[in-house]
Amino acid sequence: MRKLFFVISSFALLSLYTCDDGDIINVEFEFDNTFQACGTNGLVFYKTKEDPSESLSIIISSLEIADLLEVGEDNIYEGEFTLSSTNTFNYRTYSNTSLPSLFCNDVPSSEINITKDLVSTSGNVYIKTVLTEDDNDGIEAALEDINGNGNLDDDDTDGDGIPNYLDADDDGDNVLTKDEDPDQNGDGDLSDALDTDGDGIPDYLDPDDDGDGVLTRDEENQSEDNNPANDISILIADYLNPQVSTKVPAKAYREHTIIQTYVVTLTVSNFNLEVISFDTFDFGVLEDSALSTSRKVTPDPNF
């Protein structure tokens, strides 16, 4: 749970606490550190809790989910918005012990009974999206910094224009990296990566896995389907068998799927919910299925 400490002026709580010198007291609310969003003509960001039943919600009338995914070349989106009569921040309490769906329904639920609705029309909202991409090849991106300079974008073992951390087939041999045992015991240490021909180059970075002089991708003796793993002449796949060195040139390369994950965070600052004020409040991280997606790319066969 993320704990939100609101400062409430004592004069607003005279029936509970009497003070003549303007002291303040803290009241603690607990909300999860995640939130949700919905809407087509503007977005509502919201979070709810029960026992007691409460909600926090922010309306930004000029936004759609797609806008949050429009990251720049640095894979970041940043937006700053001002709370107003149309962009509001609400804190609500309810008499319901169990809350129905509260937001983005065409017809509001008749079961909802709001006991308090505080609204701030002043303040600032800052939204940041960070896009992370990965090839899902079983190797942590940081471990694909082959040259060790901290820049993942210039590590491209097969020279196909796709950096290793996004390349599902790092050596361009048409056998996916995850199928070449880069981390045989799954401990994150690649020192045990499979090296079939013992040449000091692990299979996932070796374009000729069995060292027979024929590139792995050109050992498609039974079926030319851009997958040498299913071409077996003698017991094991030909690309792993130095006794089989028949060359059948590859005509194309495997399609790559790059996994995309968008992390959207929201912060509210300098707001005033009548008796509740806060300099900066971390609203949390957005949960939405639209934030997990993928893109596909196929290397040029002439690279």
Side-chain angles (χ1 to χ4, degrees), residues 78-100:
E78 293 181 283
E80 296 188 41
F81 306 89
T82 301
L83 294 177
S84 65
S85 59
T86 55
N87 295 341
T88 61
F89 180 25
N90 288 75
Y91 164 67
R92 290 173 179 161
T93 62
Y94 308 84
S95 63
N96 307 66
T97 56
S98 179
L99 289 175

Side-chain angles (χ1 to χ4, degrees), residues 3 10 21 35 59 82 114 118 175 232 238 250-251:
K3 294 185 177 181
S10 58
D21 57 6
F35 63 93
I59 299 174
T82 301
I114 300 173
L118 305 181
V175 180
I232 302 173
D238 297 345
K251 297 179 179 178

